[in-house]
Amino acid sequence: MQTEADVLIIGAGLAGLVAATELTAAGKRVLLLDQEPEQNLGGQAFWSFGGLFLVDSPEQRRMRIHDSYELALSDWLGNADFDRPEDVWPRRWAEAYVGWAAGEKRSWLQQMGIKLFPVVGWAERGGYGARGPGNSVPRFHVAWGTGTGVVAPFSYRVREAAKKGLLTFKFRHRVTELLLQHGAVVGARGEVLEPSAAERGAATSRVVVGDFRFRAPAVIVTAGGLGANHDLVRKNWPARLGPPPRHMLSGVPEHVDGLMLGITQAAGGHVINEDRMWHYVEGVHNWNPIWPRHGIRILPGPSSLWLDARGHRLPGPLYPGFDTLGTLQHLRQTGYDYSWFILTQKIIRHEFALSGSEQNPDLTNKSWRQTLGRAFGKGAPAPVEAFKQHGVDFLVRDTLPELVRAMNELTGEALLDYAQVEAEIRARDGQLDNPFSKDAQITAIRGARNYIGDKLIRTAPPHKLLDPSKGPLIAVRLHVITRKSLGGLETDLSGRVLGPDGQPIPGLYAAGEIAGFGGGGMHGYRALEGTFLGGCLYSGRIAGLAVAAALP
């Protein structure tokens, strides 16, 4: 069988594009395979908000944020809670990644052509103490251009490499098997799917029109996660989080199916930490969907009142934006697949953002005029207002009795008792009569506004929910929305896939989400946010450089 290239890369998402960029820059010939059509180049990273985790950056320092490698690593390890024998490589990857985020990451991003929005966000704020989960300081840097802007420089570079004859695209090529020879991976075979003109992100045909068999001395698997495969999500769902939801939304396109995990495992790759995953509880149905079960995650500020399906307030520190996994675990014990935000027009105007490049046209289109409107405009951003007007999960009413009645009508379950909801809101509002409070969420809101970034664009001035001048009242029904698998193929610090015996499988590498963003799960149990795109960038680069160095 003829050798078609120096390297096969399976998956044309962000990690695959970064690996291909490094390889072609080193003069290596690359064959880039993907089951989707060309219009999906860049994969799910294209749709992301573009958050990037950086440590002690100029952007942080300009906002008077004091950060360091030591503090970031302490936060990461407190978040990850590595506690398994197989966490050896994930921990090493975590230490290396935090070092990169505190070191050359920003200059490398600039070299690639990626710029950053100047206001640093504060995600995953924790609330359990200094050694517990969460970011001690704001570290969430948004790429200017969002995920689309992150993908663009690498898309450009691989297309230029293709013009030079160093890279060949093979779209609509679905791998079904990795080829082995004398214990080494030497290529891949699979099925050619019929062409598709479906728009980016839309589900595509699975009609097979041919087959293929390609050979190369090295294979890099960068096929992504499993977030759209709800059966596989439920199969891997850990008992510690309670029962898996009966109803979930998809935060990723339908082709994010996780099938390459099993295919690589069949070739000897060791999959670890399958039960570690990262799904959100602030998902809403996309009123203008692109893919099946398309959900959008609300990126909330800290002020909305969070109630479970029966109208009970969530305990501290499970406030909006503080602890994703803890909130998921709590809500899975309630017996219901949804919860509620109650807020005001003033809160939605200041605090609601929506995850996704298409939901942030100001940042995606790099428009300073539109972005300033986000901070100083009179209304909520246009995409948020569109969800408020058209989204099935959004309810707007002038009075609380009307709102609670509409909430019960929306679910058809009549679980909410008006007196219970009113008591929760009036108790909360009563804590605003003084500049001090025993309510930890009120204290957290006031604390957030001590940070200039939150005060400018992420946290509304504290006010009573039942103050009619701040209305109307808004309720948002929230669903679990799938997003990331944190476990995956175990890899060493060169991106080589390891077998169950801990030894590298010759010729086989992995990067991106399918490798748990490095090592088979460098996040451990929880993510500090801004670390998924960065994990694809870092692991893709590492794998590309390692393969280039290993080839003659």
Side-chain angles (χ1 to χ4, degrees):
M1 183 172 59
Q2 181 182 356
T3 299
E4 281 81 11
D6 297 315
V7 188
L8 294 184
I9 298 178
I10 302 170
L14 181 59
L17 296 184
V18 174
T21 294
E22 296 292 353
L23 284 160
T24 54
K28 306 304 180 183
R29 295 179 301 119
V30 173
L31 199 59
L32 183 57
L33 283 64
D34 198 282
Q35 67 179 356
E36 295 307 301
E38 183 175 0
Q39 53 268 32
N40 281 282
L41 189 67
Q44 66 189 86
F46 176 92
W47 299 103
S48 77
F49 189 54
L52 294 166
F53 177 93
L54 290 166
V55 177
D56 192 27
S57 69
E59 289 76 19
Q60 287 175 298
R61 293 194 291 272
R62 279 196 292 269
M63 304 197 80
R64 301 180 182 177
I65 299 165
H66 303 287
D67 201 6
S68 67
Y69 169 78
E70 292 77 16
L71 181 61
L73 183 61
S74 175
D75 285 351
W76 192 293
L77 297 179
N79 222 48
D81 195 23
F82 294 122
D83 62 356
R84 298 172 176 174
E86 57 266 37
D87 282 333
V88 171
W89 285 111
R91 182 176 179 126
R92 291 176 182 173
W93 270 89
E95 292 167 347
Y97 178 74
V98 175
W100 189 59
E104 67 170 332
K105 180 179 180 180
R106 187 179 181 278
S107 61
W108 181 78
L109 291 171
Q110 286 186 315
Q111 181 184 344
M112 292 296 107
I114 297 169
K115 297 181 179 180
L116 302 172
F117 185 62
V119 179
V120 183
W122 195 352
E124 289 297 294
R125 302 177 188 219
Y128 300 96
R131 298 182 66 187
N135 283 294
S136 297
V137 298
R139 297 189 176 106
F140 191 84
H141 300 64
V142 177
W144 190 230
T146 65
T148 303
V150 174
V151 168
F154 303 101
S155 295
Y156 171 78
R157 284 173 169 80
V158 297
R159 291 187 189 280
E160 289 298 301
K163 292 178 183 178
K164 297 175 183 177
L166 286 171
L167 184 142
T168 302
F169 292 109
K170 292 291 183 181
F171 297 107
R172 303 299 280 159
H173 282 60
R174 180 173 63 185
V175 171
T176 58
E177 183 183 359
L178 296 178
L179 302 176
L180 290 166
Q181 182 175 319
H182 306 303
V185 172
V186 295
R189 68 179 178 184
E191 301 164 333
V192 180
L193 305 177
E194 68 177 353
S196 173
E199 65 175 314
R200 178 189 282 270
T204 57
S205 165
R206 291 295 180 258
V207 173
V208 176
V209 296
D211 55 31
F212 67 87
R213 186 181 180 94
F214 297 131
R215 186 180 178 93
V219 174
I220 307 177
V221 181
T222 58
L226 52 84
N229 188 335
H230 290 193
D231 290 339
L232 200 50
V233 169
R234 291 189 180 95
K235 177 183 176 183
N236 292 333
W237 192 274
R240 66 179 179 275
L241 294 182
R246 297 175 295 277
H247 168 74
M248 294 186 287
L249 301 177
S250 288
V252 294
E254 193 76 354
H255 62 259
V256 184
D257 55 25
L259 298 182
M260 273 306 301
L261 274 168
I263 293 167
T264 311
Q265 196 170 26
H270 191 210
V271 178
I272 60 175
N273 299 318
E274 295 164 281
D275 62 321
R276 293 178 181 169
M277 51 186 66
W278 192 251
H279 307 306
Y280 296 105
V281 286
E282 309 101 331
V284 293
H285 291 88
N286 191 346
W287 66 273
N288 188 23
I290 298 172
W291 53 79
R293 302 170 295 192
H294 189 172
I296 296 292
R297 185 207 173 196
I298 295 170
L299 303 173
S303 300
S304 296
L305 187 69
W306 206 331
L307 304 178
D308 67 20
R310 289 192 172 276
H312 301 289
R313 189 177 180 185
L314 271 60
L318 306 183
Y319 315 126
F322 278 68
D323 179 12
T324 292
L325 201 66
T327 308
L328 174 62
Q329 184 175 10
H330 175 83
L331 289 173
R332 292 313 309 142
Q333 313 303 319
T334 66
Y336 296 92
D337 290 346
Y338 63 92
S339 60
W340 295 98
F341 278 165
I342 292 183
L343 59 149
T344 63
Q345 177 63 29
K346 191 170 187 68
I347 291 173
I348 202 172
R349 177 258 175 275
H350 280 273
E351 298 194 6
F352 266 37
L354 300 169
S355 182
S357 56
E358 81 282 15
Q359 302 298 332
N360 295 275
D362 51 348
L363 297 170
T364 300
N365 297 329
K366 304 181 181 181
S367 168
W368 280 111
R369 181 182 62 81
Q370 287 180 297
T371 305
L372 288 172
R374 179 191 292 248
F376 302 109
K378 294 182 179 179
V384 175
E385 283 292 335
F387 267 82
K388 196 181 81 173
Q389 294 175 24
H390 305 296
V392 66
D393 296 305
F394 284 71
L395 299 168
V396 183
R397 298 293 187 272
D398 290 325
T399 68
L400 186 60
E402 293 175 296
L403 188 70
V404 174
R405 188 179 309 117
M407 294 162 75
N408 278 327
E409 289 171 355
L410 179 62
T411 64
E413 296 187 280
L415 295 176
L416 298 172
D417 176 71
Y418 173 75
Q420 164 71 27
V421 175
E422 182 189 34
E424 292 282 14
I425 293 176
R426 289 197 181 278
R428 179 258 187 209
D429 283 2
Q431 294 293 307
L432 287 162
D433 291 332
N434 293 287
F436 41 82
S437 170
K438 72 174 183 180
D439 188 298
Q441 185 176 6
I442 300 299
T443 301
I445 294 167
R446 288 171 171 154
R449 286 179 60 82
N450 287 327
Y451 168 51
I452 187 63
D454 276 351
K455 188 173 184 177
L456 281 174
I457 60 174
R458 291 298 288 151
T459 307
H463 62 275
K464 296 184 177 184
L465 297 178
L466 296 182
D467 181 348
S469 70
K470 305 299 190 289
L473 285 167
I474 301 167
V476 185
R477 181 178 57 176
L478 307 170
H479 310 266
V480 175
I481 179 171
T482 63
R483 190 58 64 87
K484 300 294 180 186
S485 45
L486 299 185
L489 294 166
E490 188 177 19
T491 59
D492 66 12
L493 289 178
S494 296
R496 297 183 298 177
V497 176
L498 307 179
D501 60 357
Q503 296 302 307
I505 298 172
L508 184 59
Y509 298 74
E513 188 174 353
I514 199 168
F517 303 95
M522 73 171 186
H523 295 90
Y525 287 95
R526 301 168 184 254
L528 286 172
E529 292 286 29
T531 55
F532 301 130
L533 284 182
C536 290
L537 293 168
Y538 183 59
S539 61
R541 185 177 185 226
I542 290 294
L545 290 171
V547 172
L551 292 173

